[in-house]
Amino acid sequence: VATTNTFASIGSGYSNKAVAALTDSVTGLSANTTYFVRVRAQTSGGTSSNSPPASQLTPPAAPPGLAASTVTATNFNLSWRAVAGASTYRLDVSTDSGCSTFVSGYSNLTVATTNSAVTGLTNSTTYYSRVRAVNSAGATSDNSSTLSTATAAAASAPTISGITPTSGQLSVAFTAGSSGGLDITDYEYSLNGGAYTSAGQTTSPIVITGLTNGTSYTVTIRAVNSDGSRGEASAGVSSTPRTIPVAPTGLTVTPGNTQLTASFTAPSDNGGSAITNY
């Protein structure tokens, strides 16, 4: 075994090494180095000439410096230092420290640069990453050291402290929950279990407009973090938009002995809630 095809520089321990079998392991080599191998057959009658040499490029070194940055509730970025002779890198991301259960799309993922975003993760979860270098011959290095990275927590549920109904709208007061370690950039509300709508604000109260008087709405709200992740939803609280009724009509007054009898027609619109008195 030598580093040149002229076999001018023979590897230590691999000069005229006797091998009884048809296979042998060559160890103690340098990373990303091309080695040349030849073999001769030996019998009691003598030794053959050399076989044609075969060459093999050894794997590059394992990538050092694996690190995580920009950690959010659902993503993080990985980076590592370049390795001499590497043409690409292969990345694994797992949910267990032994790297046996891989995140979808992140098993033996080929990466052309020394960094990669890892996306679509679950908040408050620890992930384990490792990377290998690949050279032009397809030889793969050992794994880098395994890196443990925990995603941030999503915001906890806010608490609706009260809802004030007025005509066609509800004013929803709330107390924020934990931010999960990331800035809260918005709140969203849902009516009667429907899709969430941006409130466009981070403070209490949230005023929801365009509602129908006399219709009950169950409101839930949730926080939106700076990375776009959605927090837990609050418990639902119900309220009904309403306003004052319109005036009664058809008032007539009939006089009697020491009294007047007033008759009228009930309002055509009670403003969204039952009339309890006149």
Side-chain angles (χ1 to χ4, degrees), residues 14 16 19 26 42 47 52 61 70 89 100 151 160 245-246:
Y14 293 98
N16 206 29
V19 180
V26 182
Q42 189 174 42
T47 302
T70 318
Y89 298 89
S100 60
T151 53
I160 296 177
V246 299

Side-chain angles (χ1 to χ4, degrees), residues 24 26 31 55 57 66-67 93 126 186 189 229 251 272:
D24 188 42
V26 182
S55 64
L57 178 62
L66 183 61
V93 181
T126 298
D186 193 11
Y189 65 85
S229 61
L251 175 63

Side-chain angles (χ1 to χ4, degrees), residues 246-276:
V246 299
T249 58
L251 175 63
T252 60
V253 178
T254 303
N257 184 25
T258 69
Q259 68 180 29
L260 297 172
T261 300
S263 300
F264 54 90
T265 301
S268 59
D269 184 355
N270 63 12
S273 57
I275 293 175
T276 59

Side-chain angles (χ1 to χ4, degrees), residues 71-75 121-125 150-158 176-184 187 222-233:
V71 180
T72 72
T74 56
N75 307 329
L121 306 178
T122 302
N123 67 77
S124 302
T125 302
T151 53
S156 62
S178 167
S179 68
L182 299 171
D183 291 338
I184 292 175
Y187 280 90
R222 66 186 183 186
V224 181
N225 285 122
S226 57
D227 67 337
S229 61
R230 270 62 178 170
E232 299 174 1

Side-chain angles (χ1 to χ4, degrees), residues 189-196:
Y189 65 85
S190 170
L191 300 175
N192 297 332
Y196 277 87

Side-chain angles (χ1 to χ4, degrees), residues 17-223:
K17 179 183 178 183
V19 180
L22 296 179
T23 61
D24 188 42
S25 295
V26 182
T27 61
L29 306 180
S30 298
N32 198 50
T33 302
T34 299
Y35 287 88
F36 297 85
V37 182
R38 65 187 181 188
V39 65
R40 296 184 297 275
Q42 189 174 42
T43 69
S44 59
T47 302
S48 74
S49 59
N50 290 312
S51 68
S55 64
Q56 178 63 53
L57 178 62
T58 55
L66 183 61
S69 62
T70 318
V71 180
T72 72
T74 56
N75 307 329
F76 56 78
N77 293 330
L78 291 173
S79 62
W80 53 91
R81 295 199 295 274
V83 174
S87 57
T88 58
Y89 298 89
R90 291 180 183 171
L91 176 64
D92 296 325
V93 181
S94 176
T95 52
D96 66 275
S97 58
C99 288
S100 60
T101 305
F102 296 103
V103 175
S104 177
Y106 293 98
S107 174
N108 210 28
L109 173 68
T110 297
V111 181
T113 61
T114 56
N115 57 78
S116 178
V118 182
T119 62
L121 306 178
T122 302
N123 67 77
S124 302
T125 302
T126 298
Y127 292 90
Y128 300 86
S129 307
R130 66 189 184 189
V131 64
R132 291 171 291 168
V134 184
N135 64 19
S136 58
T140 305
S141 74
D142 291 333
N143 287 306
S144 67
S145 298
T146 301
L147 176 69
S148 170
T149 307
T151 53
S156 62
T159 301
I160 296 177
S161 54
I163 299 182
T164 302
T166 54
S167 181
Q169 65 184 35
L170 298 173
S171 178
V172 183
F174 66 92
T175 302
S178 167
S179 68
L182 299 171
D183 291 338
I184 292 175
T185 57
D186 193 11
Y187 280 90
E188 297 176 331
Y189 65 85
S190 170
L191 300 175
N192 297 332
Y196 277 87
T197 301
S198 169
Q201 64 186 77
T202 59
T203 56
S204 175
I206 295 171
V207 178
I208 306 172
T209 61
L211 306 181
T212 301
N213 289 332
T215 298
S216 178
Y217 296 91
T218 299
V219 182
T220 59
I221 62 173
R222 66 186 183 186

